[in-house]
Amino acid sequence: VYVTFEIRQSVLSDEARVNLGLLAAAIKKLDNDVVYTISGYADAATGNETINERLSKERAQVVYDCLVKEFGVKAKQLTVEHHGGVNNMFYDDPRLSRATIISVK
């Protein structure tokens, strides 16, 4: 699952919340032993290293909080990591690097 953010922001859009709600419903129906990793990113083209570290961490945390507090996903099923500023992860478009990716590892 891929969630994007506005530049210099770590606030979830309503669209992101809907998608996270759908993900939460699926997680709760599947194997309780599966752990999902929430990875936060910022685009390296904007902000400095300190700001991008903070943003990537905040973005991952806001997704975690939404899944756990708003949609009731068990905390033990989620891990959080952040990667600071990264260069164009997708389609050579820095906007797509302002994201959080949720995956199964």
Side-chain angles (χ1 to χ4, degrees):
V1 173
Y2 178 78
V3 176
T4 58
F5 294 85
E6 294 294 324
I7 192 168
R8 296 184 185 93
Q9 298 295 313
S10 58
V11 177
L12 290 171
S13 67
D14 290 342
E15 182 180 313
R17 279 194 148 75
V18 168
N19 288 327
L20 290 172
L22 295 170
L23 172 64
I27 289 173
K28 291 193 274 185
K29 287 182 182 177
L30 298 172
D31 185 350
N32 286 334
D33 293 328
V34 175
V35 176
Y36 300 82
T37 300
I38 302 167
S39 303
Y41 300 90
D43 70 284
T46 57
N48 59 37
E49 187 175 328
T50 301
I51 290 170
N52 288 337
E53 275 296 314
R54 178 182 53 80
L55 270 175
S56 67
K57 185 175 184 178
E58 287 175 0
R59 289 171 176 167
Q61 190 63 48
V62 75
V63 168
Y64 172 91
D65 289 345
C66 180
L67 288 170
V68 172
K69 295 177 182 175
E70 192 170 330
F71 295 113
V73 173
K74 294 177 183 173
K76 72 175 188 162
Q77 287 189 264
L78 303 171
T79 61
V80 177
E81 59 187 35
H82 62 281
H83 302 281
V86 295
N87 291 314
N88 302 336
M89 296 190 308
F90 303 104
Y91 303 107
D92 200 28
D93 185 344
R95 294 174 301 154
L96 299 178
S97 297
R98 295 190 293 266
T100 299
I101 300 173
I102 304 160
S103 59
V104 176
K105 289 192 176 183

